[in-house]
Short mmCIF file of all heavy atoms in Angstrom, two decimals:
data_model
loop_
_atom_site.label_atom_id
_atom_site.label_comp_id
_atom_site.label_asym_id
_atom_site.label_seq_id
_atom_site.Cartn_x
_atom_site.Cartn_y
_atom_site.Cartn_z
N VAL A 19 7.86 19.36 14.99
CA VAL A 19 8.10 17.95 15.56
C VAL A 19 8.28 17.00 14.25
O VAL A 19 9.17 16.19 14.38
CB VAL A 19 6.86 17.50 16.34
CG1 VAL A 19 6.88 16.06 16.68
CG2 VAL A 19 6.77 18.27 17.57
N VAL A 20 7.48 17.06 13.19
CA VAL A 20 7.58 16.30 12.11
C VAL A 20 8.92 16.55 11.44
O VAL A 20 9.60 15.49 11.04
CB VAL A 20 6.38 16.50 11.26
CG1 VAL A 20 6.52 15.75 9.79
CG2 VAL A 20 5.04 16.11 11.80
N ALA A 21 9.34 17.68 11.20
CA ALA A 21 10.62 17.97 10.64
C ALA A 21 11.82 17.41 11.42
O ALA A 21 12.69 16.87 10.74
CB ALA A 21 10.86 19.62 10.44
N ASN A 22 11.74 17.47 12.74
CA ASN A 22 12.78 16.88 13.64
C ASN A 22 12.83 15.35 13.29
O ASN A 22 13.96 14.86 13.14
CB ASN A 22 12.50 17.20 15.03
CG ASN A 22 13.60 16.50 15.90
OD1 ASN A 22 13.34 15.43 16.31
ND2 ASN A 22 14.64 17.22 16.13
N HIS A 23 11.70 14.77 13.31
CA HIS A 23 11.70 13.22 13.04
C HIS A 23 12.12 12.93 11.59
O HIS A 23 12.79 11.88 11.59
CB HIS A 23 10.24 12.70 13.47
CG HIS A 23 10.14 12.62 14.84
ND1 HIS A 23 10.32 11.40 15.66
CD2 HIS A 23 9.56 13.50 15.78
CE1 HIS A 23 10.19 11.64 16.92
NE2 HIS A 23 9.64 12.90 17.06
N VAL A 24 11.84 13.70 10.63
CA VAL A 24 12.33 13.43 9.31
C VAL A 24 13.78 13.52 9.17
O VAL A 24 14.53 12.82 8.64
CB VAL A 24 11.60 14.39 8.26
CG1 VAL A 24 12.15 14.30 6.98
CG2 VAL A 24 10.05 13.92 8.01
N ASP A 25 14.32 14.71 9.75
CA ASP A 25 15.69 14.96 9.75
C ASP A 25 16.57 13.91 10.54
O ASP A 25 17.67 13.55 10.16
CB ASP A 25 16.07 16.39 10.39
CG ASP A 25 15.50 17.48 9.56
OD1 ASP A 25 15.14 17.25 8.46
OD2 ASP A 25 15.49 18.61 10.15
N THR A 26 15.90 13.34 11.50
CA THR A 26 16.70 12.42 12.36
C THR A 26 16.42 10.93 12.02
O THR A 26 16.78 10.08 12.63
CB THR A 26 16.54 12.68 13.91
OG1 THR A 26 15.01 12.42 14.16
CG2 THR A 26 16.95 13.99 14.38
N ASP A 27 15.52 10.72 10.98
CA ASP A 27 14.98 9.51 10.49
C ASP A 27 14.43 8.61 11.74
O ASP A 27 14.89 7.44 11.89
CB ASP A 27 16.17 8.72 9.79
CG ASP A 27 15.74 7.50 8.98
OD1 ASP A 27 14.58 7.59 8.65
OD2 ASP A 27 16.56 6.57 8.91
N THR A 28 13.80 9.26 12.57
CA THR A 28 13.10 8.64 13.68
C THR A 28 11.63 8.49 13.52
O THR A 28 10.88 9.46 13.30
CB THR A 28 13.35 9.47 15.03
OG1 THR A 28 14.77 9.67 15.12
CG2 THR A 28 12.80 8.77 16.33
N PRO A 29 11.13 7.30 13.42
CA PRO A 29 9.63 7.22 13.14
C PRO A 29 8.78 7.78 14.29
O PRO A 29 9.22 7.77 15.43
CB PRO A 29 9.44 5.57 13.19
CG PRO A 29 10.83 4.96 12.97
CD PRO A 29 11.77 6.09 13.55
N VAL A 30 7.63 8.22 14.04
CA VAL A 30 6.82 8.78 14.97
C VAL A 30 5.30 8.81 14.41
O VAL A 30 5.10 8.67 13.20
CB VAL A 30 7.13 10.32 15.23
CG1 VAL A 30 6.81 11.19 14.11
CG2 VAL A 30 6.32 10.95 16.50
#
Side-chain angles (χ1 to χ4, degrees):
V19 169
V20 170
N22 176 273
H23 283 269
V24 169
D25 290 345
T26 61
D27 196 27
T28 306
V30 67

